[in-house]
PDB file of all heavy atoms in Angstrom:
ATOM      1  N   PRO X  19      54.056   9.779 -13.077  1.00 94.00           N
ATOM      2  CA  PRO X  19      53.357   8.577 -12.637  1.00 94.00           C
ATOM      3  C   PRO X  19      51.837   8.747 -12.722  1.00 94.00           C
ATOM      4  O   PRO X  19      51.308   9.830 -12.483  1.00 94.00           O
ATOM      5  CB  PRO X  19      53.805   8.413 -11.183  1.00 94.00           C
ATOM      6  CG  PRO X  19      55.114   9.126 -11.103  1.00 94.00           C
ATOM      7  CD  PRO X  19      54.977  10.291 -12.059  1.00 94.00           C
ATOM      8  N   GLY X  20      51.166   7.668 -13.068  1.00 95.00           N
ATOM      9  CA  GLY X  20      49.710   7.668 -13.153  1.00 95.00           C
ATOM     10  C   GLY X  20      49.192   6.244 -13.266  1.00 95.00           C
ATOM     11  O   GLY X  20      49.969   5.295 -13.364  1.00 95.00           O
ATOM     12  N   ARG X  21      47.875   6.119 -13.272  1.00 96.00           N
ATOM     13  CA  ARG X  21      47.240   4.797 -13.325  1.00 96.00           C
ATOM     14  C   ARG X  21      46.761   4.402 -14.710  1.00 96.00           C
ATOM     15  O   ARG X  21      46.338   3.285 -14.930  1.00 96.00           O
ATOM     16  CB  ARG X  21      46.049   4.755 -12.377  1.00 96.00           C
ATOM     17  CG  ARG X  21      46.432   4.675 -10.930  1.00 96.00           C
ATOM     18  CD  ARG X  21      46.357   3.235 -10.431  1.00 96.00           C
ATOM     19  NE  ARG X  21      46.881   3.116  -9.098  1.00 96.00           N
ATOM     20  CZ  ARG X  21      46.161   3.179  -7.991  1.00 96.00           C
ATOM     21  NH1 ARG X  21      44.866   3.371  -8.063  1.00 96.00           N
ATOM     22  NH2 ARG X  21      46.736   3.054  -6.820  1.00 96.00           N
ATOM     23  N   GLY X  22      46.762   5.357 -15.645  1.00 97.00           N
ATOM     24  CA  GLY X  22      46.299   5.018 -16.978  1.00 97.00           C
ATOM     25  C   GLY X  22      46.097   6.258 -17.816  1.00 97.00           C
ATOM     26  O   GLY X  22      46.242   7.390 -17.341  1.00 97.00           O
ATOM     27  N   ALA X  23      45.746   6.015 -19.083  1.00 98.00           N
ATOM     28  CA  ALA X  23      45.492   7.115 -20.009  1.00 98.00           C
ATOM     29  C   ALA X  23      44.304   6.769 -20.894  1.00 98.00           C
ATOM     30  O   ALA X  23      44.137   5.624 -21.314  1.00 98.00           O
ATOM     31  CB  ALA X  23      46.719   7.389 -20.871  1.00 98.00           C
ATOM     32  N   LEU X  24      43.496   7.787 -21.151  1.00 98.00           N
ATOM     33  CA  LEU X  24      42.345   7.685 -22.054  1.00 98.00           C
ATOM     34  C   LEU X  24      42.505   8.779 -23.104  1.00 98.00           C
ATOM     35  O   LEU X  24      42.502   9.969 -22.766  1.00 98.00           O
ATOM     36  CB  LEU X  24      41.041   7.888 -21.282  1.00 98.00           C
ATOM     37  CG  LEU X  24      40.678   6.801 -20.290  1.00 98.00           C
ATOM     38  CD1 LEU X  24      39.690   7.340 -19.249  1.00 98.00           C
ATOM     39  CD2 LEU X  24      40.090   5.612 -21.032  1.00 98.00           C
ATOM     40  N   LEU X  25      42.676   8.373 -24.350  1.00 98.00           N
ATOM     41  CA  LEU X  25      42.860   9.326 -25.435  1.00 98.00           C
ATOM     42  C   LEU X  25      41.668   9.220 -26.375  1.00 98.00           C
ATOM     43  O   LEU X  25      41.428   8.165 -26.960  1.00 98.00           O
ATOM     44  CB  LEU X  25      44.171   9.046 -26.171  1.00 98.00           C
ATOM     45  CG  LEU X  25      45.430   9.078 -25.301  1.00 98.00           C
ATOM     46  CD1 LEU X  25      46.658   8.657 -26.106  1.00 98.00           C
ATOM     47  CD2 LEU X  25      45.629  10.444 -24.671  1.00 98.00           C
ATOM     48  N   PHE X  26      40.940  10.321 -26.490  1.00 98.00           N
ATOM     49  CA  PHE X  26      39.733  10.355 -27.316  1.00 98.00           C
ATOM     50  C   PHE X  26      40.006  11.185 -28.572  1.00 98.00           C
ATOM     51  O   PHE X  26      40.375  12.351 -28.480  1.00 98.00           O
ATOM     52  CB  PHE X  26      38.565  10.972 -26.540  1.00 98.00           C
ATOM     53  CG  PHE X  26      38.283  10.295 -25.224  1.00 98.00           C
ATOM     54  CD1 PHE X  26      38.698  10.867 -24.035  1.00 98.00           C
ATOM     55  CD2 PHE X  26      37.617   9.084 -25.182  1.00 98.00           C
ATOM     56  CE1 PHE X  26      38.445  10.254 -22.818  1.00 98.00           C
ATOM     57  CE2 PHE X  26      37.356   8.457 -23.969  1.00 98.00           C
ATOM     58  CZ  PHE X  26      37.773   9.040 -22.785  1.00 98.00           C
ATOM     59  N   HIS X  27      39.852  10.567 -29.730  1.00 97.00           N
ATOM     60  CA  HIS X  27      39.989  11.232 -31.036  1.00 97.00           C
ATOM     61  C   HIS X  27      41.423  11.616 -31.358  1.00 97.00           C
ATOM     62  O   HIS X  27      41.649  12.425 -32.260  1.00 97.00           O
ATOM     63  CB  HIS X  27      39.114  12.495 -31.132  1.00 97.00           C
ATOM     64  CG  HIS X  27      37.820  12.436 -30.406  1.00 97.00           C
ATOM     65  ND1 HIS X  27      36.804  11.595 -30.787  1.00 97.00           N
ATOM     66  CD2 HIS X  27      37.377  13.088 -29.312  1.00 97.00           C
ATOM     67  CE1 HIS X  27      35.789  11.748 -29.954  1.00 97.00           C
ATOM     68  NE2 HIS X  27      36.109  12.644 -29.050  1.00 97.00           N
ATOM     69  N   THR X  28      42.387  11.072 -30.670  1.00 96.00           N
ATOM     70  CA  THR X  28      43.766  11.508 -30.873  1.00 96.00           C
ATOM     71  C   THR X  28      44.771  10.504 -30.350  1.00 96.00           C
ATOM     72  O   THR X  28      44.461   9.684 -29.482  1.00 96.00           O
ATOM     73  CB  THR X  28      44.019  12.852 -30.159  1.00 96.00           C
ATOM     74  OG1 THR X  28      45.273  13.380 -30.573  1.00 96.00           O
ATOM     75  CG2 THR X  28      43.987  12.722 -28.652  1.00 96.00           C
ATOM     76  N   SER X  29      45.945  10.581 -30.873  1.00 96.00           N
ATOM     77  CA  SER X  29      47.142   9.977 -30.292  1.00 96.00           C
ATOM     78  C   SER X  29      48.317  10.588 -31.033  1.00 96.00           C
ATOM     79  O   SER X  29      48.210  10.980 -32.186  1.00 96.00           O
ATOM     80  CB  SER X  29      47.147   8.453 -30.403  1.00 96.00           C
ATOM     81  OG  SER X  29      47.046   8.065 -31.748  1.00 96.00           O
ATOM     82  N   ILE X  30      49.411  10.687 -30.350  1.00 94.00           N
ATOM     83  CA  ILE X  30      50.594  11.343 -30.878  1.00 94.00           C
ATOM     84  C   ILE X  30      51.744  10.363 -30.786  1.00 94.00           C
ATOM     85  O   ILE X  30      51.827   9.575 -29.833  1.00 94.00           O
ATOM     86  CB  ILE X  30      50.885  12.624 -30.065  1.00 94.00           C
ATOM     87  CG1 ILE X  30      49.686  13.573 -30.183  1.00 94.00           C
ATOM     88  CG2 ILE X  30      52.163  13.306 -30.523  1.00 94.00           C
ATOM     89  CD1 ILE X  30      49.546  14.542 -29.050  1.00 94.00           C
ATOM     90  N   THR X  31      52.611  10.380 -31.758  1.00 92.00           N
ATOM     91  CA  THR X  31      53.776   9.510 -31.723  1.00 92.00           C
ATOM     92  C   THR X  31      54.493   9.711 -30.389  1.00 92.00           C
ATOM     93  O   THR X  31      54.833  10.844 -30.038  1.00 92.00           O
ATOM     94  CB  THR X  31      54.724   9.857 -32.891  1.00 92.00           C
ATOM     95  OG1 THR X  31      53.993   9.765 -34.102  1.00 92.00           O
ATOM     96  CG2 THR X  31      55.909   8.928 -32.931  1.00 92.00           C
ATOM     97  N   PRO X  32      54.694   8.639 -29.635  1.00 93.00           N
ATOM     98  CA  PRO X  32      55.293   8.779 -28.303  1.00 93.00           C
ATOM     99  C   PRO X  32      56.629   9.518 -28.298  1.00 93.00           C
ATOM    100  O   PRO X  32      56.948  10.222 -27.337  1.00 93.00           O
ATOM    101  CB  PRO X  32      55.450   7.338 -27.824  1.00 93.00           C
ATOM    102  CG  PRO X  32      54.410   6.581 -28.563  1.00 93.00           C
ATOM    103  CD  PRO X  32      54.308   7.255 -29.904  1.00 93.00           C
ATOM    104  N   GLU X  33      57.375   9.407 -29.374  1.00 93.00           N
ATOM    105  CA  GLU X  33      58.677  10.074 -29.442  1.00 93.00           C
ATOM    106  C   GLU X  33      58.546  11.601 -29.370  1.00 93.00           C
ATOM    107  O   GLU X  33      59.491  12.291 -28.984  1.00 93.00           O
ATOM    108  CB  GLU X  33      59.410   9.667 -30.729  1.00 93.00           C
ATOM    109  CG  GLU X  33      59.870   8.220 -30.741  1.00 93.00           C
ATOM    110  CD  GLU X  33      58.737   7.200 -30.934  1.00 93.00           C
ATOM    111  OE1 GLU X  33      57.674   7.565 -31.487  1.00 93.00           O
ATOM    112  OE2 GLU X  33      58.912   6.041 -30.519  1.00 93.00           O
ATOM    113  N   GLU X  34      57.381  12.128 -29.718  1.00 91.00           N
ATOM    114  CA  GLU X  34      57.153  13.580 -29.613  1.00 91.00           C
ATOM    115  C   GLU X  34      57.300  14.066 -28.168  1.00 91.00           C
ATOM    116  O   GLU X  34      57.584  15.228 -27.933  1.00 91.00           O
ATOM    117  CB  GLU X  34      55.755  13.947 -30.116  1.00 91.00           C
ATOM    118  CG  GLU X  34      55.567  13.815 -31.603  1.00 91.00           C
ATOM    119  CD  GLU X  34      56.306  14.884 -32.395  1.00 91.00           C
ATOM    120  OE1 GLU X  34      56.382  16.034 -31.938  1.00 91.00           O
ATOM    121  OE2 GLU X  34      56.814  14.533 -33.475  1.00 91.00           O
ATOM    122  N   PHE X  35      57.076  13.144 -27.234  1.00 91.00           N
ATOM    123  CA  PHE X  35      57.158  13.502 -25.820  1.00 91.00           C
ATOM    124  C   PHE X  35      58.348  12.837 -25.139  1.00 91.00           C
ATOM    125  O   PHE X  35      58.325  12.560 -23.950  1.00 91.00           O
ATOM    126  CB  PHE X  35      55.855  13.171 -25.107  1.00 91.00           C
ATOM    127  CG  PHE X  35      54.684  13.949 -25.639  1.00 91.00           C
ATOM    128  CD1 PHE X  35      53.554  13.297 -26.093  1.00 91.00           C
ATOM    129  CD2 PHE X  35      54.717  15.334 -25.711  1.00 91.00           C
ATOM    130  CE1 PHE X  35      52.478  14.015 -26.591  1.00 91.00           C
ATOM    131  CE2 PHE X  35      53.655  16.061 -26.214  1.00 91.00           C
ATOM    132  CZ  PHE X  35      52.532  15.402 -26.654  1.00 91.00           C
ATOM    133  N   GLY X  36      59.368  12.546 -25.923  1.00 85.00           N
ATOM    134  CA  GLY X  36      60.630  12.130 -25.345  1.00 85.00           C
ATOM    135  C   GLY X  36      60.911  10.649 -25.249  1.00 85.00           C
ATOM    136  O   GLY X  36      61.891  10.264 -24.643  1.00 85.00           O
ATOM    137  N   GLY X  37      60.078   9.812 -25.799  1.00 87.00           N
ATOM    138  CA  GLY X  37      60.411   8.398 -25.738  1.00 87.00           C
ATOM    139  C   GLY X  37      59.232   7.494 -25.956  1.00 87.00           C
ATOM    140  O   GLY X  37      58.177   7.917 -26.422  1.00 87.00           O
ATOM    141  N   ALA X  38      59.429   6.237 -25.594  1.00 90.00           N
ATOM    142  CA  ALA X  38      58.422   5.209 -25.818  1.00 90.00           C
ATOM    143  C   ALA X  38      57.283   5.327 -24.800  1.00 90.00           C
ATOM    144  O   ALA X  38      57.426   5.942 -23.743  1.00 90.00           O
ATOM    145  CB  ALA X  38      59.063   3.835 -25.714  1.00 90.00           C
ATOM    146  N   TRP X  39      56.172   4.719 -25.137  1.00 95.00           N
ATOM    147  CA  TRP X  39      55.051   4.630 -24.205  1.00 95.00           C
ATOM    148  C   TRP X  39      55.477   3.797 -23.001  1.00 95.00           C
ATOM    149  O   TRP X  39      56.081   2.731 -23.165  1.00 95.00           O
ATOM    150  CB  TRP X  39      53.842   3.986 -24.890  1.00 95.00           C
ATOM    151  CG  TRP X  39      52.640   4.010 -23.999  1.00 95.00           C
ATOM    152  CD1 TRP X  39      52.174   2.994 -23.224  1.00 95.00           C
ATOM    153  CD2 TRP X  39      51.770   5.123 -23.779  1.00 95.00           C
ATOM    154  NE1 TRP X  39      51.066   3.402 -22.514  1.00 95.00           N
ATOM    155  CE2 TRP X  39      50.796   4.712 -22.840  1.00 95.00           C
ATOM    156  CE3 TRP X  39      51.722   6.428 -24.260  1.00 95.00           C
ATOM    157  CZ2 TRP X  39      49.789   5.555 -22.390  1.00 95.00           C
ATOM    158  CZ3 TRP X  39      50.712   7.259 -23.813  1.00 95.00           C
ATOM    159  CH2 TRP X  39      49.759   6.817 -22.892  1.00 95.00           C
ATOM    160  N   PRO X  40      55.167   4.216 -21.778  1.00 93.00           N
ATOM    161  CA  PRO X  40      55.509   3.405 -20.602  1.00 93.00           C
ATOM    162  C   PRO X  40      54.770   2.058 -20.651  1.00 93.00           C
ATOM    163  O   PRO X  40      53.541   2.028 -20.604  1.00 93.00           O
ATOM    164  CB  PRO X  40      55.021   4.262 -19.426  1.00 93.00           C
ATOM    165  CG  PRO X  40      54.806   5.636 -19.979  1.00 93.00           C
ATOM    166  CD  PRO X  40      54.506   5.468 -21.427  1.00 93.00           C
ATOM    167  N   ALA X  41      55.506   0.986 -20.779  1.00 86.00           N
ATOM    168  CA  ALA X  41      54.900  -0.332 -21.010  1.00 86.00           C
ATOM    169  C   ALA X  41      53.850  -0.691 -19.964  1.00 86.00           C
ATOM    170  O   ALA X  41      52.822  -1.275 -20.295  1.00 86.00           O
ATOM    171  CB  ALA X  41      55.990  -1.403 -21.046  1.00 86.00           C
ATOM    172  N   GLY X  42      54.076  -0.350 -18.717  1.00 92.00           N
ATOM    173  CA  GLY X  42      53.156  -0.732 -17.658  1.00 92.00           C
ATOM    174  C   GLY X  42      51.952   0.181 -17.496  1.00 92.00           C
ATOM    175  O   GLY X  42      51.124  -0.059 -16.613  1.00 92.00           O
ATOM    176  N   LEU X  43      51.825   1.206 -18.332  1.00 96.00           N
ATOM    177  CA  LEU X  43      50.720   2.150 -18.196  1.00 96.00           C
ATOM    178  C   LEU X  43      49.571   1.755 -19.118  1.00 96.00           C
ATOM    179  O   LEU X  43      49.697   1.816 -20.338  1.00 96.00           O
ATOM    180  CB  LEU X  43      51.177   3.572 -18.527  1.00 96.00           C
ATOM    181  CG  LEU X  43      50.132   4.645 -18.259  1.00 96.00           C
ATOM    182  CD1 LEU X  43      49.948   4.838 -16.756  1.00 96.00           C
ATOM    183  CD2 LEU X  43      50.536   5.953 -18.920  1.00 96.00           C
ATOM    184  N   PRO X  44      48.419   1.363 -18.558  1.00 98.00           N
ATOM    185  CA  PRO X  44      47.279   0.979 -19.391  1.00 98.00           C
ATOM    186  C   PRO X  44      46.742   2.180 -20.175  1.00 98.00           C
ATOM    187  O   PRO X  44      46.768   3.311 -19.698  1.00 98.00           O
ATOM    188  CB  PRO X  44      46.237   0.496 -18.380  1.00 98.00           C
ATOM    189  CG  PRO X  44      46.956   0.306 -17.100  1.00 98.00           C
ATOM    190  CD  PRO X  44      48.140   1.223 -17.135  1.00 98.00           C
ATOM    191  N   VAL X  45      46.237   1.904 -21.366  1.00 98.00           N
ATOM    192  CA  VAL X  45      45.722   2.969 -22.224  1.00 98.00           C
ATOM    193  C   VAL X  45      44.551   2.460 -23.057  1.00 98.00           C
ATOM    194  O   VAL X  45      44.524   1.306 -23.468  1.00 98.00           O
ATOM    195  CB  VAL X  45      46.835   3.526 -23.149  1.00 98.00           C
ATOM    196  CG1 VAL X  45      47.402   2.445 -24.065  1.00 98.00           C
ATOM    197  CG2 VAL X  45      46.352   4.718 -23.950  1.00 98.00           C
ATOM    198  N   GLN X  46      43.593   3.347 -23.252  1.00 98.00           N
ATOM    199  CA  GLN X  46      42.524   3.142 -24.226  1.00 98.00           C
ATOM    200  C   GLN X  46      42.545   4.333 -25.164  1.00 98.00           C
ATOM    201  O   GLN X  46      42.698   5.481 -24.725  1.00 98.00           O
ATOM    202  CB  GLN X  46      41.137   3.094 -23.567  1.00 98.00           C
ATOM    203  CG  GLN X  46      40.732   1.783 -22.994  1.00 98.00           C
ATOM    204  CD  GLN X  46      39.251   1.776 -22.578  1.00 98.00           C
ATOM    205  OE1 GLN X  46      38.558   2.785 -22.631  1.00 98.00           O
ATOM    206  NE2 GLN X  46      38.790   0.627 -22.154  1.00 98.00           N
ATOM    207  N   ILE X  47      42.365   4.047 -26.463  1.00 98.00           N
ATOM    208  CA  ILE X  47      42.281   5.094 -27.477  1.00 98.00           C
ATOM    209  C   ILE X  47      40.980   4.876 -28.240  1.00 98.00           C
ATOM    210  O   ILE X  47      40.693   3.754 -28.669  1.00 98.00           O
ATOM    211  CB  ILE X  47      43.491   5.056 -28.427  1.00 98.00           C
ATOM    212  CG1 ILE X  47      44.791   5.198 -27.621  1.00 98.00           C
ATOM    213  CG2 ILE X  47      43.380   6.158 -29.493  1.00 98.00           C
ATOM    214  CD1 ILE X  47      46.056   4.942 -28.423  1.00 98.00           C
ATOM    215  N   HIS X  48      40.197   5.947 -28.396  1.00 98.00           N
ATOM    216  CA  HIS X  48      38.880   5.878 -29.038  1.00 98.00           C
ATOM    217  C   HIS X  48      38.823   6.879 -30.189  1.00 98.00           C
ATOM    218  O   HIS X  48      39.148   8.053 -30.005  1.00 98.00           O
ATOM    219  CB  HIS X  48      37.774   6.238 -28.040  1.00 98.00           C
ATOM    220  CG  HIS X  48      37.722   5.354 -26.840  1.00 98.00           C
ATOM    221  ND1 HIS X  48      36.917   4.242 -26.770  1.00 98.00           N
ATOM    222  CD2 HIS X  48      38.383   5.419 -25.652  1.00 98.00           C
ATOM    223  CE1 HIS X  48      37.078   3.653 -25.594  1.00 98.00           C
ATOM    224  NE2 HIS X  48      37.964   4.355 -24.894  1.00 98.00           N
ATOM    225  N   ALA X  49      38.374   6.408 -31.367  1.00 98.00           N
ATOM    226  CA  ALA X  49      38.219   7.299 -32.523  1.00 98.00           C
ATOM    227  C   ALA X  49      37.269   6.658 -33.521  1.00 98.00           C
ATOM    228  O   ALA X  49      36.975   5.457 -33.444  1.00 98.00           O
ATOM    229  CB  ALA X  49      39.567   7.567 -33.180  1.00 98.00           C
ATOM    230  N   MET X  50      36.792   7.463 -34.469  1.00 97.00           N
ATOM    231  CA  MET X  50      35.987   6.916 -35.560  1.00 97.00           C
ATOM    232  C   MET X  50      36.916   6.443 -36.670  1.00 97.00           C
ATOM    233  O   MET X  50      37.940   7.076 -36.961  1.00 97.00           O
ATOM    234  CB  MET X  50      34.986   7.946 -36.083  1.00 97.00           C
ATOM    235  CG  MET X  50      33.781   8.064 -35.196  1.00 97.00           C
ATOM    236  SD  MET X  50      32.397   8.880 -36.015  1.00 97.00           S
ATOM    237  CE  MET X  50      31.054   8.292 -34.974  1.00 97.00           C
ATOM    238  N   GLU X  51      36.536   5.314 -37.273  1.00 95.00           N
ATOM    239  CA  GLU X  51      37.407   4.662 -38.242  1.00 95.00           C
ATOM    240  C   GLU X  51      37.686   5.501 -39.485  1.00 95.00           C
ATOM    241  O   GLU X  51      38.731   5.325 -40.121  1.00 95.00           O
ATOM    242  CB  GLU X  51      36.820   3.308 -38.647  1.00 95.00           C
ATOM    243  CG  GLU X  51      35.464   3.392 -39.316  1.00 95.00           C
ATOM    244  CD  GLU X  51      34.799   2.042 -39.482  1.00 95.00           C
ATOM    245  OE1 GLU X  51      35.363   1.024 -39.037  1.00 95.00           O
ATOM    246  OE2 GLU X  51      33.701   2.006 -40.058  1.00 95.00           O
ATOM    247  N   ALA X  52      36.803   6.422 -39.840  1.00 95.00           N
ATOM    248  CA  ALA X  52      37.019   7.258 -41.024  1.00 95.00           C
ATOM    249  C   ALA X  52      37.168   8.735 -40.673  1.00 95.00           C
ATOM    250  O   ALA X  52      37.014   9.596 -41.544  1.00 95.00           O
ATOM    251  CB  ALA X  52      35.878   7.048 -42.020  1.00 95.00           C
ATOM    252  N   ASP X  53      37.491   9.041 -39.431  1.00 96.00           N
ATOM    253  CA  ASP X  53      37.763  10.421 -39.025  1.00 96.00           C
ATOM    254  C   ASP X  53      39.002  10.885 -39.784  1.00 96.00           C
ATOM    255  O   ASP X  53      40.082  10.335 -39.612  1.00 96.00           O
ATOM    256  CB  ASP X  53      38.003  10.455 -37.512  1.00 96.00           C
ATOM    257  CG  ASP X  53      38.535  11.786 -36.997  1.00 96.00           C
ATOM    258  OD1 ASP X  53      38.678  12.737 -37.789  1.00 96.00           O
ATOM    259  OD2 ASP X  53      38.814  11.862 -35.786  1.00 96.00           O
ATOM    260  N   PRO X  54      38.862  11.904 -40.638  1.00 93.00           N
ATOM    261  CA  PRO X  54      40.016  12.315 -41.438  1.00 93.00           C
ATOM    262  C   PRO X  54      41.196  12.809 -40.598  1.00 93.00           C
ATOM    263  O   PRO X  54      42.344  12.668 -40.999  1.00 93.00           O
ATOM    264  CB  PRO X  54      39.472  13.430 -42.335  1.00 93.00           C
ATOM    265  CG  PRO X  54      38.188  13.855 -41.731  1.00 93.00           C
ATOM    266  CD  PRO X  54      37.670  12.697 -40.940  1.00 93.00           C
ATOM    267  N   PHE X  55      40.950  13.360 -39.424  1.00 92.00           N
ATOM    268  CA  PHE X  55      42.041  13.820 -38.560  1.00 92.00           C
ATOM    269  C   PHE X  55      42.781  12.654 -37.923  1.00 92.00           C
ATOM    270  O   PHE X  55      43.947  12.766 -37.579  1.00 92.00           O
ATOM    271  CB  PHE X  55      41.506  14.725 -37.435  1.00 92.00           C
ATOM    272  CG  PHE X  55      40.904  15.996 -37.930  1.00 92.00           C
ATOM    273  CD1 PHE X  55      39.535  16.147 -37.960  1.00 92.00           C
ATOM    274  CD2 PHE X  55      41.702  17.040 -38.366  1.00 92.00           C
ATOM    275  CE1 PHE X  55      38.952  17.316 -38.409  1.00 92.00           C
ATOM    276  CE2 PHE X  55      41.136  18.217 -38.829  1.00 92.00           C
ATOM    277  CZ  PHE X  55      39.761  18.354 -38.855  1.00 92.00           C
ATOM    278  N   PHE X  56      42.086  11.545 -37.753  1.00 95.00           N
ATOM    279  CA  PHE X  56      42.665  10.407 -37.047  1.00 95.00           C
ATOM    280  C   PHE X  56      43.149   9.316 -37.992  1.00 95.00           C
ATOM    281  O   PHE X  56      44.240   8.786 -37.819  1.00 95.00           O
ATOM    282  CB  PHE X  56      41.639   9.822 -36.070  1.00 95.00           C
ATOM    283  CG  PHE X  56      42.203   8.768 -35.165  1.00 95.00           C
ATOM    284  CD1 PHE X  56      42.837   9.133 -33.991  1.00 95.00           C
ATOM    285  CD2 PHE X  56      42.118   7.426 -35.489  1.00 95.00           C
ATOM    286  CE1 PHE X  56      43.384   8.174 -33.155  1.00 95.00           C
ATOM    287  CE2 PHE X  56      42.655   6.452 -34.663  1.00 95.00           C
ATOM    288  CZ  PHE X  56      43.292   6.833 -33.488  1.00 95.00           C
TER     289      PHE X  56
END
């Protein structure tokens, strides 16, 4: 349980951690549009 997630320069397919993203959990993801890793 938590109030939200902030992912900077990254995100991982939710299935890697056992399932879908929790629908009710707010999230922001930040990255550069041409970051080769992202």
